[in-house]
Amino acid sequence: MAKKVVHRPELTFWEKLYIPQILTGLKITSIHFFRNLFLHIVHRLGIFSHLRAGVTIQYPEELRPLFSRYRSRHRLTLRDDNTPRCVGCMLCETVCPAKCITIVPGEHPDPHVEKYPVRFDIDLGICVYCGYCVEVCPEDAIRMDTGILDLASDTREGMRLDIHQLMDPELRKPVADCSLEFPHQCEVTGGGMKGSWDQVKKSADKQVVAGE
Amino acid sequence: MIDVVDVVIKFVLAAFVLIMVLNFAGLHTWIERKQSALIQDRIGANRASIFGFRLMGLFHPLADAIKMFFKEDLIPKGADKTLHTLAPLFSVFFALVAFAAIPFGPDLEIGGRVIPLQVAKINVALLYIFAMLSLGVYGVILAGFSSRNNYAILGGLRATAQMISYEIALGISVVGVIMVYGTMDLGELVAAQGELIWGFIPRWGIVVQPVAFIIFLVAALAETKRAPFDLPEAESEIIGYFVEYSGMKFGMFLFTDFVETIMVACVATTLFLGGWQIPFLQADDVSNWVFVVLGMASFSIKVIVFCWVFMQLRWTLPRFRYDQLMKLGWKGLFPIAIANVIVTAIVLVMIDLIGGKS
């Protein structure tokens, strides 16, 4: 093995004195100190707000900017009449590697639209955020661009999003009243529906039976 | 006969100094957090709030104090209970008691009575302050000794060795100042610094004794156990003398640190920056009240500047290794301090021989 001789640099006289070096360090920290102090003060006055006084992002009040390709919580896109664009083709449910999507399709009254989702659930506790559902959708009906990151729940039930939450990203469980303006067969609009999983399922089952 | 008014005046002065020092020490925790945050491009603690008011994190010291008070106070099994309780009290007591000899303003005249703004007018005030600072070592060594913990003893010994080593340099650096002004009475010492050299340079300690000033600053930093000499504490890395302390007793050690920092800043101001003196302003220029207020403001500003410098150094420099610390103390500062004393003595004698006034 070749021996490698490393020459450590000797300290010069000025470096050995410590004090000039300490002053150099103080200069750096003082520049930061006074710059940030000045910026904090003028921010209070509302000027120079494009210059940041610290790298800290105060999380709940201030969110980090996301890239446009970032995959955040899902949403179902809407038509002009506020009905979901989804045609219940089941492609996303099929492609989902985590099997977190459950779709129950129903017959759409408009003959040009084949089907509509009576039930569209995503269990975010299972979802791996791969984005395949977005890629595969032929109707551009599902997207992952809500920018919602604070997904947390005390229960597993809370991690399941039903169609109401997916269509309106502002909604959080429990869903108060059905906001799904679906003029046809959706029992959810019939009143009394509070966003409970079982009730949606029941009505969906009925739907399927009726469809047959 | 003891005049009752005199006693009352002393109590008022003592209370004033105590309140100022304790509040400023409490504020120091906030300053430390905010200043380090600014240096490191952060924002700093700002979440503690009362009724939604955050006041830039000013409630954090309050929250800290409440937390400290409500924590369990542990005394380890086999520890000496009396000494274990006494040690933090010693620390805080000796740090606070030294403030008695600091003159923080010019003489105040009320109703024909002249009140020197100094709690205790001692003619060996400097010796008294150094004695009290040295006695602070007792808090440290007792804390280590009474904890019945080998690491605490080692930490205590380390801290003691450091403090005693730097006390020597600290003491000798001050000798030069004493020789120049010819007094140990801090009141007279400050008064002597009001003069001007050649009519335009204030005769401050930093002008006549620049080397002593630097040695004093470095040794004082080591004496207060602040970074870059914070080996006795070293919050996260090395075990210090207060491992076995919890709750408010631990808080008192922490508090001692800040009080000592202010103490050292006060001494440095008094010795080297002319105390309450304002350059080119004499007592006759303005009325007594204005002069007193200006003098106290000047003193406070100088102390705050020193505290700022100490804090800035603390967040600039990395910690010394223990052998480097001892090397700097004994091989660096100590000889320079002695050389400074000798050179000062020679210069003083020369000036005397030539016939000028010293």
Side-chain angles (χ1 to χ4, degrees):
Chain A
M1 245 173 81
K3 197 179 273 180
K4 198 175 171 188
V5 181
V6 179
H7 290 287
R8 306 275 178 215
E10 288 269 317
L11 292 182
T12 61
F13 175 72
W14 283 108
E15 284 166 349
K16 277 181 189 163
L17 269 184
Y18 291 131
I19 292 169
Q21 298 296 307
I22 290 173
L23 291 180
T24 318
L26 275 181
K27 197 181 93 193
I28 294 170
T29 49
S30 298
I31 286 171
H32 277 262
F33 177 81
F34 286 114
R35 178 184 160 273
N36 290 332
L37 190 68
F38 172 75
L39 284 178
H40 275 301
I41 291 168
V42 296
H43 283 178
R44 287 284 158 114
L45 304 174
I47 39 178
F48 288 127
S49 50
H50 61 288
L51 293 170
R52 290 189 67 97
V55 293
T56 314
I57 290 170
Q58 306 253 348
Y59 165 62
E61 295 100 39
E62 188 189 354
L63 298 176
R64 214 169 60 172
L66 298 175
F67 287 102
S68 51
R69 286 178 57 185
Y70 189 90
R71 296 195 289 268
S72 50
R73 211 196 83 175
H74 313 66
R75 74 181 170 101
L76 287 179
T77 53
L78 303 178
R79 294 176 208 272
D80 292 337
D81 59 350
N82 284 337
T83 58
R85 295 185 77 90
C86 177
V87 294
C89 68
M90 311 288 281
L91 275 176
C92 52
E93 185 180 333
T94 312
V95 79
C96 182
K99 302 206 187 317
C100 65
I101 303 178
T102 312
I103 303 172
V104 176
E107 202 68 38
H108 200 284
D110 185 350
H112 297 97
V113 183
E114 228 176 285
K115 284 183 276 185
Y116 81 98
V118 176
R119 186 181 144 197
F120 194 113
D121 310 316
I122 296 180
D123 191 341
L124 291 178
I126 299 175
C127 179
V128 293
Y129 291 89
C130 60
Y132 283 4
C133 48
V134 181
E135 293 286 328
V136 82
C137 184
E139 297 286 328
D140 191 21
I142 185 167
R143 287 190 191 171
M144 297 177 78
D145 59 356
T146 50
I148 298 173
L149 306 173
D150 50 340
L151 297 159
S153 174
D154 294 332
T155 57
R156 283 172 196 278
E157 176 67 26
M159 293 304 284
R160 287 184 192 161
L161 305 182
D162 63 17
I163 193 165
H164 304 100
Q165 287 162 298
L166 285 170
M167 283 170 63
D168 184 358
E170 299 297 315
L171 279 183
R172 290 287 198 277
K173 278 201 169 175
V175 179
D177 281 310
C178 176
S179 64
L180 178 60
E181 298 277 327
F182 219 43
H184 43 267
Q185 291 129 7
C186 177
E187 276 192 20
V188 183
T189 47
M193 183 63 230
K194 294 289 181 194
S196 146
W197 186 266
D198 292 326
Q199 274 173 297
V200 177
K201 195 178 168 192
K202 239 182 269 165
S203 68
D205 289 346
K206 241 188 280 167
Q207 196 74 54
V208 174
V209 173
E212 284 168 354
Chain B
M1 273 298 287
I2 301 170
D3 191 354
V4 182
V5 183
D6 274 340
V7 175
V8 171
I9 286 170
K10 286 294 175 207
F11 267 108
V12 170
L13 280 181
F16 177 75
V17 171
L18 199 64
I19 288 169
M20 291 300 266
V21 169
L22 289 180
N23 277 325
F24 192 44
L27 205 61
H28 240 75
T29 58
W30 177 78
I31 295 172
E32 171 138 46
R33 283 185 175 133
K34 282 297 181 184
Q35 192 168 340
S36 65
L38 287 183
I39 290 169
Q40 297 167 357
D41 289 350
R42 294 183 285 111
I43 288 177
N46 63 355
R47 293 282 149 168
S49 65
I50 294 180
F51 302 124
F53 289 104
R54 285 177 173 174
L55 266 181
M56 301 183 290
L58 265 175
F59 292 125
H60 272 272
L62 208 64
D64 276 344
I66 295 170
K67 178 198 76 174
M68 292 280 194
F69 271 117
F70 283 97
K71 269 188 167 181
E72 188 186 358
D73 184 24
L74 279 174
I75 296 178
K77 204 175 168 188
D80 190 325
K81 274 184 190 163
T82 322
L83 288 183
H84 193 266
T85 314
L86 269 180
L89 298 179
F90 269 6
S91 273
V92 173
F93 177 76
F94 287 125
L96 282 176
V97 113
F99 279 96
I102 299 283
F104 56 92
D107 290 352
L108 178 66
E109 285 167 29
I110 304 177
R113 190 185 286 272
V114 177
I115 306 163
L117 290 183
Q118 186 180 9
V119 179
K121 202 161 169 50
I122 317 169
N123 56 2
V124 285
L126 206 51
L127 281 186
Y128 165 78
I129 287 173
F130 276 79
M132 289 305 135
L133 278 181
S134 312
L135 280 173
V137 177
Y138 270 101
V140 171
I141 191 74
L142 283 180
F145 169 71
S146 64
S147 295
R148 189 85 187 244
N149 178 328
N150 289 344
Y151 293 112
I153 291 183
L154 283 175
L157 288 175
R158 205 170 54 214
T160 313
Q162 174 187 334
M163 288 171 82
I164 289 177
S165 302
Y166 276 79
E167 234 151 54
I168 294 169
L170 194 69
I172 295 175
S173 72
V174 170
V175 170
V177 180
I178 298 169
M179 281 158 68
V180 170
Y181 296 111
T183 177
M184 270 203 217
D185 188 329
L186 288 180
E188 284 176 28
L189 210 145
V190 172
Q193 293 187 55
E195 297 166 14
L196 298 175
I197 309 174
W198 303 318
F200 65 97
I201 305 173
R203 195 161 168 262
W204 287 0
I206 191 171
V207 179
V208 284
Q209 287 281 316
V211 180
F213 174 69
I214 289 166
I215 297 168
F216 183 89
L217 218 57
V218 176
L221 264 180
E223 181 72 21
T224 54
K225 310 187 285 286
R226 298 280 296 163
F229 303 103
D230 62 342
L231 291 124
E233 279 150 25
E235 287 101 354
S236 48
E237 295 89 0
I238 321 169
I239 297 178
Y241 53 89
F242 46 52
V243 244
E244 294 293 355
Y245 281 88
S246 60
M248 202 56 210
K249 285 185 194 163
F250 174 77
M252 280 163 96
F253 278 122
L254 228 63
F255 200 65
T256 310
D257 230 45
F258 292 120
V259 173
E260 273 185 349
T261 311
I262 300 167
M263 177 72 231
V264 161
C266 283
V267 177
T269 305
T270 312
L271 291 181
F272 295 102
L273 284 194
W276 42 261
Q277 298 280 3
I278 306 166
F280 318 117
L281 186 72
Q282 300 299 324
D284 310 329
D285 298 347
V286 284
S287 69
N288 181 253
W289 274 99
V290 177
F291 190 61
V292 167
V293 170
L294 283 179
M296 279 163 68
S298 151
F299 185 80
S300 316
I301 288 169
K302 285 167 188 172
V303 168
I304 289 169
V305 166
F306 264 115
C307 288
W308 181 84
V309 169
F310 286 153
M311 204 64 92
Q312 197 79 7
L313 278 171
R314 186 230 186 292
W315 290 101
T316 301
L317 301 175
R319 187 178 298 131
F320 272 77
R321 214 171 33 184
Y322 195 67
D323 62 318
Q324 291 171 334
L325 176 92
M326 282 294 160
K327 204 176 146 194
L328 179 70
W330 286 103
K331 290 183 178 171
L333 298 180
F334 180 53
I336 297 174
I338 289 196
N340 180 50
V341 169
I342 293 168
V343 170
T344 308
I346 292 170
V347 169
L348 283 179
V349 170
M350 297 283 270
I351 289 174
D352 246 12
L353 284 180
I354 292 165
K357 66 179 181 70
S358 61

